[in-house]
C-alpha cells in the first residue's frame, strides 16, 4: 500500500488535501509535501551513522545516506523523523533530544518545480542500529563514520547527493551567542531589490518581498549586510527596522537578517504584522531554497 501524504501550504499549514506517494508531481504550484533528514551522531565516538540503501530502491540503489523519509498523513516532521529512524535502522530516539539543524522550502529552480518542505534533525545517541528490529528492509547495512570518511565516500560518488548537507553543518556551525547582540537591534538602510522586482542578472529570480542592506555595515561576503524586510505589503526604498531573527546559512559565508519596520526606539509599527517562523521560511524560500540554513532567534 502506498503512503498517504498531507498536502501543505508553503508556510506549513495543512490544506486538508492528501496525495499518494509517487503522485507529488500532480501537486499545484502552491502545494507542498514534507520530508525529513535525520543526522545521528554517536555521543561517545563523535561518528555519524550512515546506511546503505537496498538494491530495489527506485532511486540511488545501494548508495549511502543518512536516515530520510516522508511525513505520512497526520505526522509532524518530528513524528516522521522518529518513525523513519526506527523503521530504517531500528533505533528508538526520544523527541526531547531532537534538534532542528535546518528547514528548507523548495519551490522552483533550473526550470523544474520542487514542491517540498524539508526539516533536518540532529540527535546524539549511544544506541546501536539493529536491522533485525527495523520494520522495513530499506537498509542493507549501516556504519559509524567520521566526517572525513563520509566525505571520501561522497567524493567517489558512493553517497546520495543530499548527504553533502552534512559538510555545511560541520564546516559552518552556528557560533554560540554570536547573534544574541544582533537580534533586537534597530538598523537602517536601503532596499535595492524591492518587492515585485527581478534580480539584475538572474532574470528569473523574482523578489516577492523587499530585500536590501544595512548602510555602512559589512556582512560575511565583504559587502553591506543583507536583510529581508518583512511585515509590509508594498515596495520600499529605505527602511528603519528591528532585527527579529537571523537566517544562518551553513553552506555560505553570508547570513541574512530578518527585519520588520519600527520607529527609532525599536517599537514595531502598528500596521506591521510580525511573521511566524513558518511564515518567514515561506517568504524567503524564493532565494533560500538554493542554500541550507536555519532561523536563529
Amino acid at each position: 500500500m502506498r503512503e498517504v501524504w498531507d498536502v501543505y501550504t508553503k508556510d506549513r499549514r495543512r490544506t486538508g488535501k492528501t496525495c499518494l506517494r509517487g503522485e507529488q508531481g500532480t501537486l499545484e504550484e502552491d502545494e507542498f509535501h514534507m520530508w525529513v533528514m535525520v543526522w545521528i551522531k554517536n555521543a561517545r565516538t563523535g561518528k555519524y551513522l550512515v546506511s546503505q540503501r537496498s538494491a530495489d530502491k527506485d532511486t540511488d540503489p545501494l548508495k549511502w545516506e543518512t536516515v530520510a523519509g516522508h511525513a505520512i498523513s497526520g505526522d509532524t516532521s518530528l513524528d516522521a523523523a522518529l518513525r523513519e529512524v526506527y523503521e530504517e535502522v531500528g533505533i528508538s530516539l526520544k523527541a526531547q533530544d531532537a534538534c532542528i539543524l535546518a528547514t528548507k522550502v523548495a519551490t522552483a529552480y533550473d526550470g523544474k518545480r520542487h514542491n517540498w518542505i524539508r526539516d533536518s534533525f540532529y540527535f546524539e545517541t549511544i544506541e546501536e542500529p539493529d536491522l533485525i528490529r527495523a520494520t522495513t528492509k530499506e537498509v542493507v547495512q549501516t556504519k559509524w563514520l567520521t566526517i572525513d570518511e563520509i566525505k571520501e565516500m561522497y567524493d567517489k560518488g558512493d553517497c546520495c547527493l543530499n548527504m553533502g548537507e552534512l559538510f555545511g553543518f560541520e564546516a559552518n556551525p552556528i557560533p554560540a551567542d554570536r547573534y544574541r547582540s544582533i537580534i533586537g537591534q534597530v538598523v537602517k538602510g536601503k532596499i535595492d531589490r524591492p518587492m515585485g522586482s527581478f534580480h539584475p542578472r538572474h532574470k528569473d529570480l523574482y523578489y516577492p518581498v523587499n530585500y536590501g542592506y544595512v548602510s555602512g555595515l559589512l556582512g560575511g561576503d565583504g559587502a553591506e549586510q543583507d536583510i529581508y524586510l518583512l511585515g509590509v505589503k508594498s515596495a520600499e526604498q529605505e527602511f528603519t527596522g528591528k532585527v527579529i531573527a537571523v537566517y544562518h546559512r551553513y553552506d555560505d559565508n553570508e547570513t541574512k537578517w530578518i527585519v520588520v519596520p519600527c520607529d527609532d526606539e525599536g517599537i514595531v509599527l502598528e500596521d506591521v504584522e510580525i511573521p511566524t517562523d513558518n511564515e518567514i521560511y515561506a517568504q524567503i524560500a524564493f532565494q533560500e531554497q538554493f542554500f541550507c540554513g536555519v532561523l536563529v532567534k
Side-chain angles (χ1 to χ4, degrees):
M1 181 180 294
R2 283 191 290 175
E3 293 177 351
V4 179
W5 299 344
D6 286 322
V7 177
Y8 294 82
T9 63
K10 192 160 61 171
D11 56 356
R12 302 167 69 104
R13 297 175 183 171
R14 288 188 175 95
T15 65
K17 295 175 60 177
T18 59
C19 73
L20 293 176
R21 183 186 186 98
E23 294 183 353
Q24 57 268 33
T26 65
L27 294 178
E28 299 294 332
E29 187 174 345
D30 58 350
E31 295 178 333
F32 295 80
H33 62 97
M34 182 179 290
W35 67 289
V36 298
M37 295 179 67
V38 187
W39 301 98
I40 302 172
K41 180 185 275 189
N42 188 298
R44 290 174 177 162
T45 67
K47 294 182 178 182
Y48 282 92
L49 182 68
V50 297
S51 53
Q52 188 178 31
R53 294 165 65 86
S54 67
D56 59 1
K57 284 283 190 180
D58 292 335
T59 57
D60 296 329
L62 297 179
K63 288 201 172 184
W64 291 83
E65 63 174 354
T66 190
V67 171
H70 286 85
I72 60 175
S73 184
D75 273 352
T76 65
S77 63
L78 179 54
D79 291 336
L82 298 173
R83 176 179 50 76
E84 289 289 341
V85 169
Y86 189 81
E87 287 180 356
E88 291 187 12
V89 296
I91 293 178
S92 297
L93 296 173
K94 296 178 181 179
Q96 61 265 32
D97 295 332
C99 173
I100 282 274
L101 283 177
T103 289
K104 186 169 186 173
V105 181
T107 54
Y109 52 91
D110 292 337
K112 299 178 182 177
R113 223 159 26 94
H114 298 265
N115 296 63
W116 52 258
I117 299 167
R118 185 189 71 203
D119 287 344
S120 295
F121 288 90
Y122 171 86
F123 290 87
E124 290 188 1
T125 187
I126 58 172
E127 187 176 341
E128 289 294 325
D130 184 349
L131 296 186
I132 295 177
R133 187 166 63 166
T135 59
T136 68
K137 302 300 180 184
E138 299 178 57
V139 171
V140 177
Q141 60 177 318
T142 63
K143 294 180 182 180
W144 294 103
L145 297 178
T146 65
I147 292 293
D148 288 343
E149 289 169 333
I150 296 172
K151 184 68 164 58
E152 183 178 353
M153 291 173 60
Y154 185 86
D155 290 342
K156 289 179 179 177
D158 295 335
C159 298
C160 297
L161 286 178
N162 55 33
M163 284 284 283
E165 183 182 66
L166 177 63
F167 312 130
F169 296 152
E170 287 288 325
N172 188 19
I174 299 175
D177 298 331
R178 173 176 166 184
Y179 302 127
R180 182 170 295 177
S181 63
I182 295 170
I183 296 169
Q185 275 192 34
V186 176
V187 293
K188 298 185 178 185
K190 306 287 187 182
I191 299 297
D192 56 347
R193 298 173 196 171
M195 176 187 298
S197 66
F198 288 85
H199 193 284
R201 294 187 304 278
H202 306 290
K203 300 301 184 181
D204 59 342
L205 183 57
Y206 172 79
Y207 286 82
V209 299
N210 291 292
Y211 183 72
Y213 58 87
V214 179
S215 299
L217 180 66
L218 298 184
D221 62 349
E224 287 173 298
Q225 174 63 50
D226 293 325
I227 65 99
Y228 291 104
L229 182 66
L230 305 183
V232 294
K233 299 179 180 179
S234 60
E236 304 293 330
Q237 294 181 321
E238 298 180 332
F239 69 90
T240 297
K242 184 175 184 177
V243 181
I244 61 169
V246 173
Y247 186 78
H248 177 88
R249 287 179 176 176
Y250 292 105
D251 47 1
D252 192 55
N253 59 4
E254 296 184 61
T255 60
K256 306 295 180 182
W257 294 3
I258 311 301
V259 175
V260 296
C262 70
D263 62 20
D264 288 339
E265 302 302 317
I267 306 300
V268 176
L269 303 184
E270 287 186 5
D271 59 343
V272 170
E273 297 181 6
I274 299 179
T276 65
D277 289 1
N278 288 340
E279 289 169 342
I280 293 172
Y281 280 120
Q283 290 177 50
I284 67 177
F286 73 96
Q287 181 163 249
E288 297 309 327
Q289 65 181 309
F290 305 118
F291 300 92
C292 178
V294 69
L295 279 180
V296 181
K297 300 182 78 173

